[in-house]
Amino acid sequence: MTTERYRFGVDLGGTKIELLALDGSGRECWRRRVATPQGDYDGTLAAIAGLVAAAERDLGATGSVGIATPGSISRATGLLRGSNSVCLNGRPLREDLAARLGRAVRLTNDANCFALSEASDGAGAGAGVVFGVILGTGVGAGIVVHGRVLDGPNAIAGEWGHNPLPWPRDDERPGPPCYCGLAGCIETFLSGPGMAADHGRSGAAPLAPPDIVRAAGNGDPACAATLQRYEERLARALAHVVNLLDPDVIVLGGGMSAIERLYVNVPAQWGRWVFSDRVDTVLTRNRHGDSSGVRGAAWLWGGGQPPQ
Ligand SMILES: [Zn+2]
């Protein structure tokens, strides 16, 4: 083993575990994925340890380890909670991995890793405050301030997807029921399923979001109206963020971030709700896409990030 240290990012998902190694300059050097052992906590630990050992063997050097996974570590108990891989919940995942790997391990959720990846060397590189939004099957977000993931006592910084859609119109109240138990959450309007449901409520035939966007581009009036409602609601939801956090850059990820016109039509509208005479916040598409989990996890050991 040489003394050169790599940054290893591990994306621990419900179906696969992927490890990416970045060298000191952030270049991708090694990548491998394996299936997640289903319902097997010890097997999951072993699979991660096996990937780390394989990377170190191939690279001939050691690396720091960061983990991206759904859920969060409770500050009060040190146990993971809220993971959709339920065998991990209630377990001291970070400590068990640290013991197994013989080094400290940092861990945070996918949305935080997305924001950190884009803030480190992606679409938000060089910006002081980055709000990274995932608009996919759900709506989540993470906040990076000067290279560090904002981390609070409840481990929910950035979780604005379950705030209510701001400045609602009468026909948006109380809003669609949400799995979280509330109604009218931002996620119920701005996730992919949220757009499809909104299109259905307008009386149009059911369509998936990519088909709605395509048909809107071809002049279909119902689809164009759905897309316009989506853009205006996203403008309201992000204006709320700008008023509270005033980020330099807002980066969009997830399936809905592929809608090109969002980056023109949303900033064109959000000034109506931002409490300022001008809005200089940049709205941009992500650079690293599906690699944001592994990349952000690797960057948990970059830029002076403190131990978590
Ligand atoms: Zn909700």
Side-chain angles (χ1 to χ4, degrees), residues 282-297:
V282 173
L283 181 70
T284 181
R285 190 172 177 175
N286 67 82
R287 182 180 300 167
H288 294 303
D290 292 339
S291 288
S292 63
V294 281
R295 294 187 69 90

Side-chain angles (χ1 to χ4, degrees), residues 126-142:
V129 178
V130 175
F131 190 69
V133 183
I134 296 180
L135 300 171
T137 53
V139 172

Side-chain angles (χ1 to χ4, degrees), residues 244-259:
L244 185 66
L245 186 65
D246 202 3
D248 295 280
V249 178
I250 298 174
V251 187
L252 301 186
M256 306 300 276
S257 72
I259 306 173

